[in-house]
Amino acid sequence: MSHVFPRHTKQSLPTAVAGEGCYLIDETGKRYLDASGGAAVSCLGHGDRDIIDAIKAQLDTLAYAHTGFFTSDPAEKLADLLIKHAPGDLSRVYLLSGGSEATEAAIKLARQYFVERGEPQRGHVIARKQSYHGNTLGALSAGGNAWRRAQFAPLLIDVSHIDPCFDYRLRHEGETPEDYGLRAANLLEEEILRVGPETVMAFMAEPVVGATAGAVPPAPGYFKRIREICDQYGVLLILDEVMCGMGRTGTLFACEQDGIAPDILCIAKGLGAGYQPIGAMLCSQGIYGTIAQGSGFFQHGHTYQAHPTAAAAGLAVVSAILDRNLLERVNTQGDKLKSALNAKFGQHAHIGDIRGRGLFLALELVADRTTKMPFAPKHGLAGKIKKAAFEAGLICYPMSGTIDGENGDHILLAPPFIISDAQIDELVEKLSTAIEGSLASIA
Ligand code: PLP
């Protein structure tokens, strides 16, 4: 009998015993093409020698030193490298152990910044429906996925949720993408005015929405208008690039493609590429300076923050992404994967939309392409596809609740940046088998 407390108590899982490039291997020797990098984590694939060697070398030198007493070389070097490539005036890096720790720290930093600036009335966060920012209570409060929040509602802080920018579902017939981007962004201004501009401290959003809605990119101009509104009302812009950052969409930081920079930015997942648990919160010089010239102490912290071994992994991963020209590869392989998906599913009666950026793509399933009506939640279509794909030797990331936390199904794909042309073909073939089998089972 196992003593591990698993995610699902009624499932029995195979044991992963090895990883090789784009494949994971279980104890029976079965190979799985990892087409979602777990949850958009394994951007370099499995078993990358350079990263493993960098971690081993760090362990041989120094595994851990508490940040209350010391800084460390890998933490300093990783922060330098991230800031060298970061957008806008992001100038400081707070290293953590995962995505929820990064978004949680972002919310607390925003609050402390306004307290120290002498604006203690600013304590309200605005975020978006159908977003996900993590599972700790602050992060879960900011997230807008109804299902994830429901049973914990009494424990959550009060956050407003405006509609996401979701072209396929929310752009009106005849509206241009640009007009829609503007309309969607202006919802932030409406909400700021509704709750009182002097009370709002931050707006939090994923530049490309990940797990909850399935690789949803913003409409053109959306984030430019969001940035303007934040500036106009003195509201901090927090971008959550935990899933879409670190090259996943074809640029090191996802927001580069929208031509804006946030005041606070969160990364994780691809930063450690699965080799170590690591996340980070980056903030602007202005925010850092307010704390530095004020109390001189961010009232936060975790035992394992800026862990030297995790930082060494992060440094090796970001260096690999940059030095091996992997951003270019994300763009070329991303285009190839999108074309292959379009060729296979573009006319499919039950695939309503194929979307995303770089190697961060999704297919949305519909019962009816014309009306965009989803399949009834009782079918559990996403879950069926996940199971069928896994049986066929494919790891992908299907989710239900795409539209409102309950209705809709999508499949998220986020393969390693090293995926080959042949593996793209394998991915599409296995995905097709899983989709057809699952659709047949509910017909
Ligand atoms: N933010 C986003 C956009 C995410 O996708 C996730 C995880 O899926 C998180 C935050 C939370 O990260 P973690 O699971 O590392 O705590």
Side-chain angles (χ1 to χ4, degrees):
M1 191 195 78
S2 172
H3 290 96
V4 172
F5 194 147
R7 281 177 183 254
H8 296 278
T9 59
K10 295 187 174 113
Q11 256 177 9
S12 93
L13 301 175
T15 302
V17 295
E20 268 175 35
C22 290
Y23 295 88
L24 280 168
I25 300 156
D26 74 15
E27 79 278 26
T28 69
K30 179 170 172 183
R31 294 169 73 83
Y32 303 82
L33 177 62
D34 190 0
S36 59
V41 172
S42 302
C43 56
L44 299 180
H46 304 276
D48 188 299
R49 246 3 292 169
D50 290 351
I51 314 303
I52 295 166
D53 289 346
I55 293 168
K56 285 185 170 169
Q58 184 58 43
L59 286 171
D60 284 338
T61 316
L62 167 77
Y64 172 70
H66 193 280
T67 47
F69 302 97
F70 296 103
T71 185
S72 71
D73 273 347
E76 294 292 337
K77 286 184 181 148
L78 175 56
D80 286 349
L81 185 60
L82 287 170
I83 292 307
K84 184 170 168 212
H85 295 277
D89 77 336
L90 295 174
S91 73
R92 291 282 170 164
V93 180
Y94 194 81
L95 291 169
L96 294 148
S97 303
S100 303
E101 282 192 11
T103 52
E104 199 78 34
I107 294 169
K108 286 183 71 182
L109 181 62
R111 171 63 187 161
Q112 189 173 331
Y113 165 74
F114 282 116
V115 170
E116 298 216 9
R117 264 173 66 98
E119 295 182 71
Q121 72 284 2
R122 287 197 191 256
H124 190 72
V125 176
I126 302 175
R128 302 189 299 179
K129 292 177 192 158
Q130 284 311 95
S131 59
Y132 179 59
H133 298 301
N135 263 330
T136 51
L137 291 176
L140 189 62
S141 306
N145 182 269
W147 170 76
R148 289 178 199 258
R149 295 167 54 91
Q151 70 170 324
F152 300 106
L155 310 182
L156 303 181
I157 55 169
D158 178 28
V159 171
S160 322
H161 293 97
I162 60 171
D163 275 346
C165 186
F166 195 165
D167 185 287
Y168 177 64
R169 287 281 163 196
L170 299 177
R171 180 159 63 88
H172 295 157
E173 186 85 31
E175 191 175 29
T176 66
E178 289 75 14
D179 284 349
Y180 169 55
L182 198 62
R183 177 168 67 82
N186 283 335
L187 295 175
L188 174 60
E189 183 172 39
E190 275 173 36
E191 184 59 12
I192 290 174
L193 294 173
R194 190 187 71 79
V195 298
E198 66 292 347
T199 68
V200 182
M201 65 176 194
F203 174 62
M204 185 185 260
E206 298 164 79
V208 181
V209 181
T212 47
V216 181
Y222 174 79
F223 273 108
K224 281 236 158 80
R225 178 67 189 130
I226 289 285
R227 182 69 269 184
E228 264 175 28
I229 295 168
C230 287
D231 289 344
Q232 183 180 348
Y233 295 98
V235 170
L236 295 179
L237 175 59
I238 302 173
L239 290 184
D240 178 352
E241 298 203 2
V242 166
M243 203 176 235
C244 61
M246 295 297 97
R248 177 54 57 199
T249 64
T251 43
L252 191 62
F253 294 92
C255 64
E256 290 172 46
Q257 293 176 53
D258 300 293
I260 55 128
D263 302 293
I264 300 179
L265 187 144
C266 300
I267 50 177
K269 297 195 186 269
L271 176 60
Y275 291 87
Q276 286 283 292
I278 184 166
M281 175 194 69
L282 284 63
C283 77
S284 68
Q285 183 54 37
I287 296 176
Y288 180 77
T290 299
I291 308 283
Q293 283 138 38
S295 69
F297 170 61
F298 177 29
Q299 201 184 332
H300 194 61
H302 295 282
T303 301
Y304 284 140
Q305 75 184 64
H307 193 289
T309 310
L315 178 62
V317 169
V318 179
S319 303
I321 293 172
L322 297 170
D323 299 346
R324 297 180 196 165
N325 285 333
L326 288 177
L327 297 175
E328 204 178 298
R329 193 170 170 89
V330 169
N331 287 305
T332 51
Q333 296 311 89
D335 285 349
K336 284 182 193 165
L337 177 55
K338 203 169 195 179
S339 301
L341 292 171
N342 275 320
K344 189 79 179 180
F345 304 111
Q347 301 307 316
H348 194 290
H350 296 300
I351 307 286
D353 194 26
I354 300 172
R355 57 180 175 248
R357 280 184 183 167
L359 278 172
F360 196 42
L361 300 173
L363 300 93
E364 184 167 336
L365 295 125
V366 286
D368 183 316
R369 262 171 82 104
T370 318
T371 62
K372 301 185 184 175
M373 192 178 74
F375 283 97
K378 69 171 186 208
H379 293 306
L381 181 57
K384 286 198 165 77
I385 293 173
K386 182 177 174 193
K387 190 160 174 271
F390 200 64
E391 273 163 23
L394 178 73
I395 300 170
C396 56
Y397 198 173
M399 274 288 215
S400 56
T402 314
I403 303 169
D404 54 10
E406 186 186 357
N407 295 287
D409 300 271
H410 66 264
I411 305 162
L412 185 66
L413 299 171
F417 302 168
I418 58 170
I419 190 166
S420 69
D421 294 358
Q423 288 160 347
I424 287 177
D425 293 342
E426 181 185 344
L427 186 169
V428 174
E429 276 317 306
K430 288 182 169 170
L431 189 59
S432 174
T433 306
I435 291 174
E436 297 311 339
S438 305
L439 287 172
S441 77
I442 63 173

